[in-house]
Amino acid sequence: MLFTMMTPSNLQAQDTEVMLPKKVIFETDMSTDVDDVGALAVLHALADNGEAEILAISFNEMHPSAANAICAINTWYNRGDIPIGIYKGSLADPDESSYLDTIAKFPHNLPTIPTPSSLELYLQVLGEQPDNSVTIISVGFLNNLYDLLKTDPDLISQKVTELVVMAGLVDDPYNTIRHNLVDKSEYVIHNWPTSLVISHYGESVHTGARLAETPAGNPVREAYYRRFNEQYKGRSSWDQLAVLYGVRGLGDYFTEVTEGSGRLLNGFEWKMKPGFRSYLDPKLSDDAFVRIIEDLMIKPPGK
């Protein structure tokens, strides 16, 4: 008779589930507001923890310094080679920025010159990933995702598990309508073939003041400093909370609501459906979220 000895290491291997990093593409309108910068800092901190793998960063606004500024932030976190794509269509009334020009001067080398369009980047990066493996976290406009959806919806179905959209649930006043993009937002919300989760919370969660504790060479620190007229102040954390959910999931942070409906300002409404359309409500207090997010935002870069 053959006996198998269960050593402590055997038992540990049986009981421990290996958690692979979440594969993430970050879609941002980093320009006017600064919570996009804070969200990218959170994403890098989670990557340093082994919780996320940043596949690419896509910019959906139009600003000449954006790609360089994003690369400078990536470089600070020792990931200057992350692919970056930018929107190359046209936008009505592009937004200005109080900080992009400044942080674009921080050390960096763009991974690709010229910077490709976001559509090109999506097609390449998604095509290289395993099936059902990618989470897209959108904290800006949906124009790049519209282009991708119109170009290759089957690629989305094959590669993307979830799209997290930071936007207001009812009559969103900015991310889904700015630059006359409401019809493209409607198309994405109506036709996106995988799970789409709306992250709408964060206005009362003010983070960023503790960036004053970080080194002067930190471009995230500099962005908040410039945004608030050479002061360190807290700002609403809509985008950081979207990233927190996109990487860590519901956890003890959120409840997923799969009933009810959402509405855009053009009158388009959609129904929630389990596994397909939903939105998040917070489970923690604002103070608890502030501690979690700021700890990640000020975390020193990993080696």
Side-chain angles (χ1 to χ4, degrees):
M1 183 178 290
L2 179 65
F3 293 92
T4 301
M5 181 178 290
M6 296 303 292
T7 65
S9 60
N10 295 141
L11 293 170
Q12 184 177 16
Q14 282 190 336
D15 295 339
T16 302
E17 181 181 354
V18 177
M19 300 297 292
L20 297 176
K22 185 75 72 76
K23 292 177 176 287
V24 172
I25 298 176
F26 185 59
E27 180 74 39
T28 175
D29 67 329
M30 187 184 296
S31 55
T32 301
D33 217 335
V34 78
D35 55 330
D36 299 75
V37 179
L40 184 53
V42 167
L43 185 55
H44 276 289
L46 294 171
D48 286 341
N49 289 346
E51 298 177 64
E53 176 188 356
I54 308 172
L55 300 177
I57 299 175
S58 170
F59 181 65
N60 49 63
E61 179 56 78
M62 297 185 72
H63 193 287
S65 294
N68 289 283
I70 290 168
C71 188
I73 296 170
N74 295 343
T75 300
W76 170 254
Y77 287 99
N78 301 307
R79 294 187 182 87
D81 59 347
I82 293 175
I84 297 169
I86 59 175
Y87 184 61
K88 292 193 175 181
S90 60
L91 287 179
D93 190 22
D95 290 327
E96 297 181 356
S97 177
S98 58
Y99 59 83
L100 283 178
D101 289 340
T102 300
I103 63 175
K105 298 174 183 176
F106 279 61
H108 71 281
N109 288 295
L110 284 171
T112 305
I113 299 175
T115 301
S117 73
S118 290
L119 177 58
E120 293 175 280
L121 186 66
Y122 270 113
L123 295 174
Q124 177 185 342
V125 171
L126 288 177
E128 296 170 348
Q129 302 309 310
D131 291 353
N132 303 309
S133 67
V134 178
T135 297
I136 299 175
I137 303 174
S138 172
V139 298
F141 315 124
L142 302 183
N143 42 322
N144 285 326
L145 298 176
Y146 170 87
D147 289 348
L148 175 63
L149 185 56
K150 293 287 283 188
T151 301
D152 199 340
D154 291 340
L155 183 64
I156 298 170
S157 299
Q158 183 180 1
K159 303 295 184 176
V160 177
T161 59
E162 185 173 62
L163 169 61
V164 182
V165 174
M166 188 276 115
L169 183 63
V170 176
D171 296 343
D172 170 68
Y174 195 81
N175 278 9
T176 59
I177 68 165
R178 182 86 179 104
H179 306 306
N180 300 328
L181 290 172
V182 67
D183 291 339
K184 291 186 177 182
S185 299
E186 174 183 340
Y187 187 88
V188 171
I189 294 171
H190 181 69
N191 293 288
W192 192 263
T194 74
S195 172
L196 188 158
V197 180
I198 299 291
S199 176
H200 67 99
Y201 192 69
E203 182 172 3
S204 55
V205 180
H206 293 168
T207 59
R210 286 175 60 199
L211 286 165
E213 304 169 18
T214 67
N218 179 1
V220 178
R221 175 186 192 262
E222 185 69 16
Y224 274 74
Y225 182 69
R226 295 285 174 176
R227 172 65 175 79
F228 295 110
N229 298 315
E230 301 187 352
Q231 301 177 69
Y232 296 103
K233 296 174 64 176
R235 177 60 177 142
S236 297
S237 303
W238 298 285
D239 294 356
Q240 292 95 322
L241 286 173
V243 167
L244 191 66
Y245 166 76
V247 174
R248 289 184 171 172
L250 295 172
D252 295 325
Y253 309 127
F254 307 99
T255 298
E256 185 177 14
V257 183
T258 58
E259 298 178 342
S261 61
R263 186 180 70 220
L264 299 181
L265 273 171
N266 66 352
F268 168 70
E269 294 190 13
W270 71 97
K271 298 293 184 183
M272 302 303 155
K273 180 180 177 182
F276 190 62
R277 297 290 183 269
S278 59
Y279 67 94
L280 304 174
D281 274 345
K283 293 174 70 174
L284 298 182
S285 68
D286 288 353
D287 287 344
F289 275 128
V290 167
R291 287 192 295 272
I292 292 164
I293 291 169
E294 280 203 319
D295 282 349
L296 291 167
M297 284 175 62
I298 69 170
K299 187 175 184 293
K303 301 300 182 184

